[in-house]
């Protein structure tokens, strides 16, 4: 079995460089050049086997996803990703597992021009943790506390697909490959976040479910929100796999979407529609006075989700 140093060597060999990396993998710490006219944005997220992904997930999918969830946080801040570090806790020193993991991880890193500049490698239960570093122009970051009464509420992409895949996996029946792709290979909305910086008033990425995450925006901004459940963007795959009650619950509270939810002034509707770049932008409600998120159906009656938000302690 390869030693810890052999594993780190294998990582260093495959990690791509960037001009602003003064010192990457191999010393006690990395040295990075931050431009004088940018602020540094830092996010960290961990994925634990059996909690955040099934034990038998493909290593490449785990690699992709752990970077994706971190880049999604940077996207929700309107930041451009630059660097990342990686902490690996592995039950055994398994170079085949590591190469598979790096296939997924480095494919997504390359897509967004992110350099892996360091990390830590230890033995323990399977767990992967990434810190992602991005850059933003001062004053252009997208925070949770900027929503204003009268703003529209928008979401990117479609909602509920990943949770639909998880529900199918738990039920043990047929699994739709399009839904599965959304669970295993979420696409962080980096370009959308960059396009929305300076346009949106507030933003968050949808990881725990739209209603739970929008509630964080409302608390931070001291406002309420009204969501029209019939306006939530729905993929053909989710519509085909679940009845209306089920898919609406998944769209509202399923989680693991890694779409952006943001608020913006009504006057910016055309500008927001024009940010497109292949990612749908859907208006789903508005910011109102108050402090709660309410959901209404097509008749304007209150709609109640039959399912709570994603529970971390629910067994996989
Ligand atoms: P130290 O004992 O000084 O912390 P390590 O032996 O942990 O050093 O790490 C040596 C070098 O390898 C460091 O530059 C570290 O950032 C890098 N490194 C270790 N593990 C990883 C990893 N999983 N991914 C990327 N770089 C790593
Ligand atoms: Mg160390």
């Amino acid at each position: 079995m390869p030693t810890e140093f052999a594993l780190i060597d294998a990582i260093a060999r495959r990690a791509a460089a960037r001009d602003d990396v003064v010192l990457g993998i191999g010393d006690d710490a990395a040295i990075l050049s931050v431009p004088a006219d940018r602020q540094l944005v830092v996010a960290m997220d961990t994925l634990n086997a059996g909690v955040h992904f099934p034990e038998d997930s493909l290593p490449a999918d785990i690699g992709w996803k752990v970077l994706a969830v971190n880049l999604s946080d940077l996207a929700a801040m309107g930041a451009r990703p630059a660097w990342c570090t990686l902490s690996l806790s592995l039950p055994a020193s398994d170079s085949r597992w590591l190469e598979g993991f790096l296939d997924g991880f480095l494919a997504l890193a390359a897509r967004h021009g992110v350099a892996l500049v360091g990390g830590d490698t230890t033995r323990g239960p399977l767990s992967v943790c990434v810190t992602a570093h991005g850059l933003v122009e001062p004053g252009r970051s997208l925070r949770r506390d900027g929503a204003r009464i009268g703003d529209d509420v928008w979401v990117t992409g479609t909602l509920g697909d990943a949770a639909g895949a998880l529900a199918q996996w738990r039920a043990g029946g047929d699994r739709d490959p399009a839904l599965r792709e959304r669970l295993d290979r979420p696409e962080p909305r980096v370009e959308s976040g960059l396009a929305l910086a300076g346009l949106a008033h507030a933003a968050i990425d949808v990881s725990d479910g739209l209603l739970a995450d929008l509630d964080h925006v409302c608390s931070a901004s001291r406002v309420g929100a009204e969501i029209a459940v019939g306006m939530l963007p729905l993929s053909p795959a989710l519509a085909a796999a679940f009845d209306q009650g089920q898919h609406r619950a998944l769209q509202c509270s399923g989680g693991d979407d890694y779409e952006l939810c943001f608020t913006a002034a009504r006057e910016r509707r055309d500008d927001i529609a024009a940010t497109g770049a292949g990612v749908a932008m859907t208006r789903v409600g508005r910011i109102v006075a108050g402090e709660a998120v309410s959901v209404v159906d097509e008749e304007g009656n209150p709609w109640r989700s039959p399912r709570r938000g994603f529970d971390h302690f629910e067994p996989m």
Side-chain angles (χ1 to χ4, degrees):
M1 285 216 300
T3 63
E4 175 194 332
F5 300 107
L7 290 181
I8 296 173
D9 234 31
I11 296 171
R13 267 201 305 278
R14 291 186 59 181
R18 264 174 73 109
D19 289 347
D20 51 11
V21 179
V22 180
L23 194 56
I25 296 172
D27 211 307
D28 293 309
I31 303 178
L32 310 167
S33 291
V34 181
D37 59 350
R38 291 289 185 279
Q39 291 174 327
L40 183 62
V41 183
V42 180
M44 175 193 264
D45 255 322
T46 303
L47 301 186
N48 292 324
V51 180
H52 301 101
F53 58 87
E55 304 272 359
D56 62 352
S57 297
L58 292 177
D61 290 339
I62 300 169
W64 177 285
K65 189 159 179 174
V66 71
L67 184 58
V69 301
N70 278 278
L71 298 186
S72 177
D73 281 324
L74 294 186
M77 300 303 291
R80 183 179 293 284
W83 314 294
C84 65
T85 56
L86 167 65
S87 173
L88 288 175
S89 165
L90 305 175
S93 156
D94 177 344
S95 40
R96 267 202 35 209
W97 187 94
L98 180 67
E99 294 300 336
F101 175 91
L102 291 173
D103 289 343
F105 188 94
L106 296 176
L108 185 61
R111 187 177 295 195
H112 294 285
V114 175
L116 174 61
V117 298
D120 200 19
T121 306
T122 57
R123 184 191 291 271
L126 180 58
S127 171
V128 293
C129 175
V130 165
T131 306
H133 308 248
L135 300 169
V136 74
E137 247 175 82
R140 280 174 70 90
S141 52
L142 298 171
R143 300 162 46 138
R144 296 180 179 184
D145 60 5
R148 301 178 205 167
I149 293 166
D151 277 0
D152 294 319
V153 178
W154 297 76
V155 295
T156 60
T158 59
L159 295 172
D161 300 315
L166 200 55
Q168 289 183 330
W169 180 77
R170 286 202 169 108
D174 285 349
R175 295 199 248 159
D176 184 284
L179 298 180
R180 189 68 208 251
E181 178 83 3
R182 294 291 312 271
L183 177 66
D184 292 337
R185 297 263 172 161
E187 283 287 352
R189 300 305 188 189
V190 171
E191 294 307 323
S192 300
L194 290 169
L196 291 168
L199 197 55
H201 287 157
I204 192 167
D205 69 319
V206 181
S207 53
D208 295 334
L210 175 68
L211 301 186
D213 288 316
L214 182 56
D215 193 57
H216 296 316
V217 171
C218 288
S219 303
S221 302
R222 301 171 182 280
V223 294
E226 192 176 277
I227 295 299
V229 72
M231 288 168 75
L232 297 178
L234 173 67
S235 73
L238 196 71
F242 295 92
D243 67 32
Q244 191 185 75
Q246 290 171 327
H247 76 234
R248 288 186 167 183
L250 293 165
Q251 289 173 291
C252 285
S253 317
D256 245 5
D257 295 298
Y258 302 104
E259 297 292 353
L260 300 181
C261 171
F262 60 95
T263 84
R266 295 173 62 97
E267 295 72 44
R268 311 311 293 267
R269 283 180 185 175
D270 291 344
D271 298 328
I272 287 164
T275 60
V279 180
M281 299 277 176
T282 308
R283 206 151 39 79
V284 299
R286 59 200 179 96
I287 297 296
V288 297
E291 52 185 26
V293 178
S294 62
V295 185
V296 295
D297 65 17
E298 280 80 350
E299 281 77 50
N301 297 319
W303 182 87
R304 286 224 171 281
S305 171
R307 187 179 182 283
R308 293 191 307 122
F310 177 76
D311 181 347
H312 263 265
F313 298 98
E314 221 174 296
M316 275 203 150

